[in-house]
Amino acid sequence: MTGPDATGVLTGLLHAWQRAFNAHHPTEIVLLFSQDALFQGISPRLRRGREEIFEYYDRIAHGTTAEAKLLSAALLGQAIVHGFAEVTFTAPTDDIHRIRLSIVAEQAEEAWLIHQYHAATHHDSGSSPPGDTGSPAKVQ
C-alpha cells in the first residue's frame, strides 16, 4: 500500500506536541487532536474531545517537561497512521516519570490530527507512577 510516511507523520506530531507541552500551552496541544479524539492519559478517566483534553493538560504543573521518542510507526490506511512512543516527563521537582504512548492519527484535509491517544505508565524500580492519585496534575 502506498501512502504517507507514517514515521514522518508521527514524528512531526510528537515534536509539535512536545514543544507545546514544554511551553505549557494547552491551547496549542489540543489543536493537534481531532474534535472527537479519544484520550486516555495516566489518570483513570477516559476523555473525549478537545475541551476535556484541554482541561487535562491545563492542570499539569508549570515547569513539567516532556521528551518523546518514537519507537515504531505504521500505515493503517491512506489517511491513518499508528505507532508507539516513549515519553519521559520531568517534573519541576526533578522527579522523572516514563510512559509508553499508543497513538493513532488521521489526515483531516491538509493536517494530520491525533484521533486516539493512550498512555500507560512505564515503571522504573523504586518509582511510583504519576497517575496513582487519579490526578493528572502531577505529570501526565
Side-chain angles (χ1 to χ4, degrees):
M1 173 186 313
T2 305
D5 171 29
T7 299
V9 169
L10 292 182
T11 297
L13 280 170
L14 287 171
H15 178 72
W17 174 87
Q18 179 178 305
R19 187 176 54 246
F21 183 95
N22 290 346
H24 194 73
H25 291 147
T27 302
E28 290 178 27
I29 293 171
V30 299
L31 293 177
L32 300 169
F33 288 84
S34 66
Q35 291 289 345
D36 62 344
L38 289 174
F39 180 92
Q40 177 67 59
I42 298 302
S43 70
R45 182 172 162 224
L46 178 64
R47 297 166 197 281
R48 179 182 292 275
R50 288 179 173 169
E51 184 177 326
E52 291 184 10
I53 295 168
F54 175 89
E55 290 169 358
Y56 182 90
Y57 281 113
D58 192 45
R59 293 184 58 202
I60 300 214
H62 285 267
T64 302
T65 60
E67 184 177 338
K69 176 184 174 188
L70 185 64
L71 300 175
S72 70
L75 184 65
L76 288 177
Q78 287 292 78
I80 302 174
V81 298
H82 74 103
F84 295 94
E86 184 171 88
V87 182
T88 301
F89 293 97
T90 304
T93 59
D94 291 330
D95 289 333
I96 294 174
H97 304 284
R98 290 180 178 83
I99 67 161
R100 292 287 168 91
L101 177 64
S102 170
I103 187 170
V104 176
E106 289 182 305
Q107 190 172 23
E109 296 179 22
E110 297 298 315
W112 284 89
L113 298 174
I114 300 167
H115 186 67
Q116 189 170 2
Y117 175 109
H118 179 262
T121 57
H122 181 64
H123 298 281
D124 291 332
S125 61
S127 69
S128 61
D132 276 354
T133 64
S135 169
K138 188 170 180 185
V139 174
Q140 179 171 330

